[in-house]
């Protein structure tokens, strides 16, 4: 091969390369470097190029965090301006530029959150106004809705500024949720006030409304606040913020019911006059029939519960981190292209070791790499990439040089000259090689040497200096059918003398799945027990308290089964559907029970309170339903599933709840 290169006409560069390296040591080293970088290669600039040479990956490590949104905006603006300067030349050569990474994702998230909030406010307000007008034939209820809503939402936002550094796409949705929840109290208060106002003067009507509905509102709002407080104990930051802020808003709402609503009634007495009766005889007839045929209704409910329980028991968990990204994300699309072009995979991971100085860190990384190479030979791994090919530890360099000296290279020069002469070469043309072979002592390569400049990009990816030492990473890709957690288990068993951190998307998703399993059980049982305690404290009857929780509990099981039947699973966002439906769904049963205890007739209770139940449920469904329009698929699923579950809770409050209450009172 070397002879053919030397004979090639006009190929002076090739001839120089052969003179410098007739033994082919440079290609051997290059293959080692390529193996260290996986399917990528290194451009002469130090950037990472794809194996086909058609894509170049430029890595940047900004000084500030991506959560500093002002810094991120300025950073991306500066980068785009720099690209714009050479944009015409890039287009001439068919070069396209894309951006991804945490900074690009942060800007997309901010824009998506802003757009979602605007959509929630405008659409939800319009639909709620339509619901109010359809329910009352006028909009006189608006003062009872807007003032408390503004107060609870603004105070919750103020609390977020005090207790949280920032909000994310999930936690900001508390505004839409609180929008629907806080309206319920206003609807029930206003409907009852209108009914009392037909027989009593305003002051007495307000007093009776508070006395008759105060207990029910306290229980309903407290149970909702309680489940969101339980959500606030979540280990997921966005979910916890959502729970804390909504629980705080509901606590404010309880105070508003006894203070702000009466004040509004006296400040605007004209709003409390309405000729429309507001009764719902059809719902009354349904509730009466279900009460008379309680055993039949409960049997049907039991059948539905068994079928749903079978489906719910087989539900999976959606721990895919990419499902939390907004749909149509350019940064996510670029990320996927990089993954395909540069040979990365979702199962890839890294082993990180730390030490106070670079030499110890490199030695520890080499010990880990040595064990991973054994797994590679056993077929457990698809690839292993380490910095040792470009920057071995000085210990390893000395060992390699010692083995090289055992070959006695200075004494072998004569043998090499003779072999080259016999092969038809002129040995004098290769003096540069002989000089290097005879050199002694041979210098060691150290971190930061100018000779390593062409490899600065991959070295910077694998070696990170810090204030307290160095971190060195060894990258690996498990073989098909092998999980990263299995490699971590084996590695910790086989390399016990080194402290290490094994990380990767696979491990994160497995940990997320374990967290989801724990939290869904905690959310369900915690919400159930806490709601039961609150209701029992008011009613002092355990059987009756359990009956009121029967409807939302059944709805939760149905919704979990629905996740299974539509091919989804419990994820970080729709996880809160479980406590949410228990906390909100029980409100409908509590308000129905309040009327039932007052009239002793399920039909009369539904006739008098059905309109308030329907309007409050529809407005809450609107608050959640418009989350279904979010650009975040996970958040959209939460909104759609919650709206469907609340519809089932409303239906259950006038069908199953009358049957349960009727049977409970007979017992």
């Amino acid at each position: 091969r070397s002879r053919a290169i030397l004979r090639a006409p006009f190929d002076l560069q090739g001839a120089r390369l052969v003179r410098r390296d007739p033994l082919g040591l440079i290609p051997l080293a290059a293959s080692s470097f390529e193996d260290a970088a996986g399917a990528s290669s290194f451009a002469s600039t130090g950037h990472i190029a794809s194996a086909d040479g058609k894509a170049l990956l430029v890595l940047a490590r900004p000084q500030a965090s991506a959560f500093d949104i002002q810094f991120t905006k300025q950073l991306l603006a500066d980068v785009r301006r720099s690209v714009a300067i050479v944009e015409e030349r890039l287009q001439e050569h068919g070069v396209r530029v894309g951006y991804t990474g945490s900074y690009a994702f942060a800007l997309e998230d901010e824009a998506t959150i802003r757009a979602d909030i605007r959509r929630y406010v405008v659409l939800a307000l319009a639909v709620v106004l339509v619901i109010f007008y359809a329910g009352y034939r006028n909009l006189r209820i608006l003062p009872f809705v807007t003032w408390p809503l503004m107060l609870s939402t603004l105070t919750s936002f103020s609390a977020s500024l005090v207790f949280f550094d920032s909000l994310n796409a999930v936690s900001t949705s508390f505004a839409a949720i609180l929008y629907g929840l806080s309206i319920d109290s206003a609807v029930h208060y206003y409907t009852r006030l209108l009914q009392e106002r037909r027989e009593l003067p305003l002051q007495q009507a307000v007093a009776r409304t508070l006395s008759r509905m105060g207990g029910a509102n306290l229980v309903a709002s407290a149970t909702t606040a309680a489940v969101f407080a339980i959500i606030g104990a979540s280990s997921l930051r966005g979910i916890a913020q959502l729970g804390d802020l909504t629980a705080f808003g509901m606590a404010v709402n309880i105070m508003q019911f006894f203070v702000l609503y009466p004040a509004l009634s006296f400040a605007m007495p004209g709003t409390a006059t309405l000729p429309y009766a507001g009764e719902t005889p059809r719902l009354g007839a349904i509730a009466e029939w279900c009460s008379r045929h309680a055993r039949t209704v409960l049997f049907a409910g039991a059948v539905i519960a068994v079928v749903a329980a079978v489906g719910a028991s087989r539900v999976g968990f959606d721990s895919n981190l990419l499902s939390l990204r907004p749909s149509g994300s350019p940064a996510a699309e670029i990320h996927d292209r990089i993954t395909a072009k540069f040979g990365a995979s979702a199962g890839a991971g890294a082993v990180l070791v730390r030490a106070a100085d670079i030499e110890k860190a490199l030695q520890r990384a080499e010990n880990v790499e040595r064990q991973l190479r054994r797994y590679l030979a056993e077929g457990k791994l698809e690839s292993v990439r380490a910095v040792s090919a470009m920057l071995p530890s000085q210990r390893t360099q000395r060992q390699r040089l010692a083995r090289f000296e055992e070959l006695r290279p200075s004494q072998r020069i004569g043998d090499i000259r003779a072999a080259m002469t016999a092969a038809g070469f002129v040995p004098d043309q290769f003096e540069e090689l002989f000089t290097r072979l005879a050199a002694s002592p041979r210098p060691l390569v150290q971190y930061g040497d100018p000779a390593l400049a062409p490899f600065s990009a991959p070295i910077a990816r694998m070696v990170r200096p810090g204030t307290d030492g160095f971190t060195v990473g060894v990258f690996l890709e498990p073989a098909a059918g092998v999980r990263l957690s299995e490699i971590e288990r084996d590695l910790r068993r086989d390399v016990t003398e080194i402290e290490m951190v094994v990380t990767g998307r696979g491990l994160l998703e497995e940990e997320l799945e374990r967290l989801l399993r724990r939290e869904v059980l905690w959310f369900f049982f915690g919400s159930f027990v806490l709601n039961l305690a609150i209701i029992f404290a008011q009613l002092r009857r355990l059987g009756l308290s359990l009956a009121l929780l029967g409807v939302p509990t059944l709805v939760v099981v149905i919704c979990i089964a629905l996740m299974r039947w539509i091919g989804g699973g419990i994820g970080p966002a729709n996880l809160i559907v479980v406590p949410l439906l228990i906390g909100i769904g029980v409100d409908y049963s509590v308000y129905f029970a309040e009327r039932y205890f007052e009239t002793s007739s399920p039909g009369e209770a539904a006739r008098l309170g059905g309109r308030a139940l329907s309007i409050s449920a529809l407005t809450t469904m609107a608050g959640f339903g418009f989350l279904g329009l979010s650009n975040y698929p996970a958040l959209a699923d939460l909104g759609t599933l919650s709206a469907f579950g609340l519809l089932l809770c409303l239906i259950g409050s006038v069908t199953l709840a009358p049957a349960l209450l009727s049977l409970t009172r007979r017992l």
Side-chain angles (χ1 to χ4, degrees):
R1 186 169 67 91
S2 296
R3 184 182 292 111
I5 293 174
L6 291 173
R7 290 176 178 175
F10 309 112
D11 190 3
L12 301 180
Q13 184 65 31
R16 293 192 188 99
L17 180 61
V18 170
R19 290 191 183 97
R20 292 185 58 196
D21 185 34
L23 302 181
L25 298 178
I26 292 178
L28 184 63
S31 65
S32 178
F33 295 152
E34 184 178 6
D35 178 64
S40 305
S41 60
F42 306 115
S44 58
T45 57
H47 305 311
I48 302 178
S50 62
D52 59 8
K54 295 182 179 180
L56 189 68
L57 183 60
V58 181
L59 303 177
R61 293 169 58 189
Q63 296 295 326
S65 167
F67 293 107
D68 185 344
I69 198 65
Q70 295 304 320
F71 172 84
T72 299
K73 286 181 177 179
Q74 187 63 47
L75 171 68
L76 268 295
D78 291 343
V79 171
R80 290 189 173 96
R81 275 196 297 269
S82 300
V83 172
I85 296 174
V86 294
E87 188 172 4
E88 291 186 5
R89 293 172 56 190
L90 294 175
Q91 291 178 351
E92 290 175 0
H93 294 83
V95 176
R96 294 175 297 173
V97 179
Y99 310 92
T100 190
S102 59
Y103 296 85
F105 284 131
L107 283 188
E108 285 187 355
D109 286 347
E110 191 215 21
T112 302
I113 290 171
R114 288 182 182 274
D116 281 353
I117 290 178
R118 287 194 295 268
R119 188 182 300 112
Y120 299 155
V121 172
V122 175
L123 294 179
L125 177 60
V127 172
V128 166
L129 290 176
V130 171
I131 294 172
F132 285 154
Y133 189 81
Y136 296 106
R137 299 296 190 267
N138 64 52
L139 297 177
R140 293 184 183 182
I141 192 178
L142 289 184
F144 292 88
V145 173
T146 53
W147 287 104
L149 176 62
M150 290 174 58
L151 180 60
S152 60
T153 303
L154 290 177
T155 52
S156 298
F157 263 123
S158 300
S160 72
L161 297 177
V162 175
F163 296 106
F164 306 124
D165 295 332
S166 62
L167 302 179
N168 62 21
V170 175
S171 54
T172 53
S173 65
F174 92 90
I177 295 174
L178 191 59
Y179 195 98
L181 295 179
S182 62
I183 288 175
D184 290 0
S185 296
V187 170
H188 286 282
Y189 175 90
Y190 186 66
T191 302
R192 186 59 183 254
L193 179 62
L194 292 178
Q195 293 173 349
E196 298 295 344
R197 189 72 176 87
R198 289 181 298 176
E199 301 176 359
L200 300 171
L202 179 60
Q203 186 172 358
Q204 294 180 18
V206 171
R208 180 173 291 185
T209 298
L210 292 176
S211 64
R212 294 287 176 85
M213 290 200 61
N217 177 265
L218 181 62
V219 171
S221 298
T223 52
T224 303
V227 297
F228 279 100
I230 288 175
I231 293 173
S234 172
S235 300
L236 299 170
R237 182 169 178 264
I239 299 296
Q241 289 179 348
L242 169 66
D244 290 336
L245 292 175
T246 308
F248 182 84
M250 290 305 298
V252 173
N253 190 62
I254 293 175
M255 294 184 289
Q256 290 177 158
F257 183 86
F258 295 98
V259 178
L260 186 56
Y261 290 162
L264 288 170
S265 303
F266 295 125
M268 292 172 285
T271 59
T273 58
L274 185 66
Y276 185 67
E279 297 173 356
T280 51
R282 293 181 181 176
L283 291 181
I286 293 174
E288 188 65 37
W289 186 92
C290 292
S291 177
R292 289 199 306 268
H293 301 84
R295 297 186 184 277
T296 302
V297 173
L298 293 179
F299 177 78
V303 172
I304 295 174
V306 170
V307 174
V310 172
S313 65
R314 300 175 181 175
V315 71
F317 291 86
D318 181 11
S319 59
N320 186 352
L321 296 176
L322 296 182
S323 64
L324 300 177
R325 301 299 321 148
S327 57
S329 165
E333 181 182 350
I334 297 297
H335 178 273
D336 292 340
R337 291 183 182 179
I338 290 174
T339 299
K341 275 282 186 182
F342 292 84
S345 72
V351 183
L352 307 178
V353 296
R354 293 181 57 82
D357 60 77
I358 184 64
E359 175 62 17
K360 289 183 179 179
L362 290 174
Q363 290 182 16
R364 291 174 180 176
E366 288 170 351
N367 291 341
V368 171
E369 180 192 0
R370 192 176 302 113
Q371 185 60 46
L372 291 176
R373 296 282 177 193
R374 296 192 184 101
Y375 298 158
L376 182 65
E378 296 171 3
K380 295 180 180 179
L381 297 178
E382 189 71 27
S383 65
V384 176
R385 302 190 301 277
V387 75
S388 60
M390 296 163 283
L391 179 62
S393 66
Q394 295 191 27
R395 178 190 66 182
T396 299
Q397 292 183 56
R398 293 190 184 95
Q399 292 173 350
R400 291 174 180 174
L401 289 174
R403 290 198 299 270
F404 181 72
E405 292 299 334
E406 290 177 0
L407 300 175
R408 301 193 298 272
S410 58
Q411 300 178 26
R412 297 289 183 181
I413 292 176
D415 298 336
I416 296 174
R417 282 179 175 274
M420 294 180 72
T421 301
F425 291 91
V426 179
D428 293 342
Q429 297 292 324
F430 302 97
E431 284 301 327
E432 184 178 353
L433 168 66
F434 300 142
T435 301
R436 292 201 304 270
L437 289 176
S440 181
R442 304 179 188 279
L444 301 180
V445 179
Q446 297 183 359
Y447 178 72
D449 276 358
L452 296 176
F455 311 106
S456 58
I459 289 178
R461 182 169 178 255
M462 299 180 180
V463 180
R464 295 290 179 91
T467 56
D468 55 348
F470 289 82
T471 301
V472 179
V474 183
F475 297 87
L476 60 113
E477 184 175 346
V482 180
R483 295 186 300 176
L484 186 58
S485 57
E486 297 174 6
I487 300 299
E488 179 188 23
R489 179 200 61 203
D490 294 346
L491 193 60
R492 294 191 183 281
R493 179 197 62 202
D494 298 331
V495 185
T496 58
E497 70 280 5
I498 298 176
E499 292 186 8
M500 68 188 81
V501 174
V502 183
T503 185
R505 177 180 159 189
L507 286 176
L508 290 175
E509 291 181 343
E510 287 187 29
E511 178 60 29
L512 178 58
E513 181 174 340
R514 287 192 291 269
L515 178 63
L516 292 174
R517 290 181 183 276
R518 291 196 302 268
E519 297 220 331
V520 72
L521 293 175
W522 155 242
F523 282 177
F524 181 82
F525 290 107
S527 300
F528 187 91
V529 172
L530 191 53
N531 275 257
L532 180 62
I534 294 173
I535 298 172
F536 180 76
Q538 177 69 17
L539 301 179
R540 301 295 181 181
R541 294 179 59 184
L542 181 60
L544 190 57
S545 301
L546 290 171
L548 294 180
L549 280 168
V551 173
T553 303
L554 175 59
V555 172
V556 166
V557 176
I558 293 174
C559 286
I560 294 177
L562 184 62
M563 296 179 195
R564 169 71 176 82
W565 292 330
I566 64 178
I570 299 175
N574 63 22
L575 171 70
I576 70 171
V577 168
V578 173
L580 185 145
L581 291 178
I582 292 178
I584 301 177
V586 75
D587 295 357
Y588 304 155
S589 297
V590 167
Y591 281 119
F592 177 84
E594 178 266 333
R595 293 279 193 171
Y596 182 49
F597 298 149
E598 181 181 340
T599 62
S600 298
S601 169
E604 191 72 4
R607 183 179 68 83
L608 295 174
R611 184 167 299 274
L613 277 177
S614 301
I615 293 175
S616 63
L618 290 174
T619 53
T620 307
M621 288 168 59
F624 282 99
F626 282 108
L627 289 177
L629 300 178
S630 173
N631 287 318
Y632 288 91
L635 204 55
D637 291 344
L638 165 64
T640 304
L641 191 62
S642 298
F644 176 74
L646 291 172
L647 176 61
L648 294 182
C649 288
L650 174 61
I651 295 172
S653 67
V654 294
T655 55
L656 186 59
L660 285 169
L661 291 173
S662 176
L663 187 62
T664 303
R665 295 196 73 172
R666 293 174 196 170
L667 298 177

